[in-house]
Amino acid sequence: MRSARSRRIRSAAAGTLTAALLATAAVGAAAPAATAATASTTASASSATFEFVDIPGSGGITLKGNVFTPGDYDGTRTYPMVVLPSSWSLNDLEYIAQAKKLADSGYVVVSYTSRGFWLSGGEIEVAGPEDVADISKVIDWALANTPADEDRIGMAGISYGAGLSLMGAAFDERVKAVVALSGWADLVESLFTGRTQKLQASLMLGGSGYLTGRPGDELKTVLGDFLAGRYDKEAELRAWGKERSPATHVDRINANGTAVMMGNAWGDSLFPPDQLGAFYEKLEGPKRLEFRPGDHATAEATGLFGLPNDVWQDGVRWLDHHLKGADNGIDAERPVRLKSRTGGGYEGYASWSALATEHKRLPLGRKGWLLGTGELGVGAEADWSTGIGTNLDSGANGGIIFLSNLADQLVQQPPSVSVPLLPRTVSAVWQSEKYGTAQRVRGSAKLHTTVTPSDDRGTLMAYLYDVDSLGTGKLVTHSAFTFTDRTPGRPFTLDLDLTATSYDVPAGHRLALVVDTVDPLYLEHNALGTTLTFSSTAADPSWLSVPLDNR
């Protein structure tokens, strides 16, 4: 059974890697050229000066970079500085449009290609100690070679650049403000959510890393063990990721008093919102958290081409306030700012934990219903069990990396299924009654049930759908869970948090919970011919808790 599963994993990995390499080749090649073109068309409109530079990095390597200096520099004054580390697989030309705007408004801006990528020296270390040391080296070089003010230093970046910026805030006390867009706080929870490997995401990152850079030996080992499902190496994986997680070093950030703004998308295929929300709650200094519809880096992408973009607009306001002392009102706004996936304007909250005013508990009944009353009542027999087979995709899934959540962002079309047609042999389905009023889902739904496996390890996925009168379900949220070293036939309790979201279920619609065992987004670990049985008792009933904002 194990060898058959391994063949399926290798086959899926090969197909996804091919697609990832092709997609990355197109993006990686086009992005720097496109941003460079933007810079060339706008250079004549500004007096800011621009030059390519070589920056000494840690360990004697050279980091390729560029510098924008305000055009009114006369050799007698200093300016606040913003350091922009490049995103994964991109280079220092990535931010050229935004860097020029910042320089025009009075910043020294230093962009650099992260170590191991393109023409920068060294190997890819994934925000390891060498990368952290590079940040301090870049700041040292800038203070010695540009009119940067040592007391007004900020960092900003997208994706990999966001993670590096947060790590810089932890390990260099000179960093006073950070704008981290589409970044991570907990690297392990991001790519190993529910102990389940994100297959498409990790193949895309690994493939693009090999295509545009030089992965280090440690990264090669970690990526190989990760994609091979080596749970015997889980402790090493977690230790590697923990060292590279800003959440591990939050006490250092708090001690430095760094002002931290983070902006991400609800459907980020790489770095889901929950780990950022938990990190945000632990920050003690000035802080701001924004979420919008979309996928990884899609919300801020237009800003890289110099187009109007509210993500970058808020980021610049954050830097202006904390590095220039601008009285622009950003400090008086509610610090958690969200935009629902189903439309409408921005909503402000006092904290991440304040998103929901109620957590509505919906019992899972024998006949496959989520009872709308929130209590065990008539027709909700407490004792029941239902089993499903594994290895076959029921049709319920989280979509395709980047494409599905981009469609959700642009035209509000998330992955959809016909709930009545889902095959009950390989999926368990519960539905609520029709709701008389709109249900404002805000935050993380939670599934509680009892699972009895027929094998010692396995994977399951849980999906929450918004179902219309025709039975078409739009994906509200989902999550995956993998178990290992269980005793076949012995039940265990499952408490699974679904990915946080902001979604309005219209009046007249239902909610549907679907559980199955296959999703192309993830690496699944179910042996052929195995089953999973879900059950409930009066002493320990199964339920789904839905976070609702009733304000």
Side-chain angles (χ1 to χ4, degrees), residues 277 280-281 289 334-336 338 347-359 440-444 547-551:
Y280 171 86
E281 294 286 77
L289 180 64
R334 289 193 173 186
V336 177
L338 313 179
E347 303 166 355
Y349 296 86
S351 67
W352 176 254
S353 59
L355 299 190
T357 58
E358 176 188 10
H359 291 265
R440 289 165 44 87
V441 179
R442 300 291 186 275
S444 302
L548 300 175
D549 181 3
N550 295 319
R551 280 166 284 208

Side-chain angles (χ1 to χ4, degrees), residues 224-412:
D225 290 342
F226 184 80
L227 290 173
R230 291 285 303 276
Y231 283 92
D232 59 320
K233 298 290 186 179
E234 183 176 357
E236 290 92 328
L237 168 66
R238 291 186 176 276
W240 178 86
K242 184 177 181 180
E243 182 181 25
R244 291 158 169 79
S245 296
T248 302
H249 312 291
V250 66
D251 290 344
R252 298 180 66 106
I253 297 176
N254 290 335
N256 292 338
T258 314
V260 176
M261 172 183 158
M262 297 178 289
N264 275 57
W266 291 116
D268 195 311
S269 297
L270 305 183
F271 310 128
D274 305 78
Q275 43 96 31
L276 284 170
F279 173 67
Y280 171 86
E281 294 286 77
K282 294 178 182 178
L283 290 171
E284 297 174 355
K287 57 185 179 179
R288 184 178 178 92
L289 180 64
E290 301 184 355
F291 278 104
R292 300 169 175 83
D295 206 311
H296 186 69
T298 61
E300 58 267 30
T302 56
L304 291 177
F305 298 93
L307 300 174
N309 183 280
D310 55 355
V311 184
W312 283 99
Q313 178 180 331
D314 283 350
V316 172
R317 291 174 62 220
W318 187 256
L319 295 172
D320 285 349
H321 179 74
H322 291 286
L323 298 182
K324 290 183 175 180
D327 186 15
N328 54 22
I330 197 167
D331 57 320
E333 298 171 1
R334 289 193 173 186
V336 177
R337 189 169 184 249
L338 313 179
K339 194 169 188 180
S340 174
R341 290 169 46 213
T342 45
Y346 286 99
E347 303 166 355
Y349 296 86
S351 67
W352 176 254
S353 59
L355 299 190
T357 58
E358 176 188 10
H359 291 265
K360 188 76 168 180
R361 183 171 290 190
L362 305 176
L364 277 60
R366 177 190 296 276
K367 297 182 179 179
W369 291 94
L370 290 167
L371 300 179
T373 62
E375 298 177 356
L376 286 173
V378 177
E381 302 93 333
D383 296 314
W384 56 262
S385 66
T386 183
I388 62 173
T390 64
N391 303 116
L392 293 178
D393 191 343
S394 70
N397 60 64
I400 301 173
I401 186 173
F402 298 140
L403 297 180
S404 296
N405 288 309
L406 183 59
D408 187 32
Q409 173 186 346
L410 298 178
V411 293
Q412 296 180 13

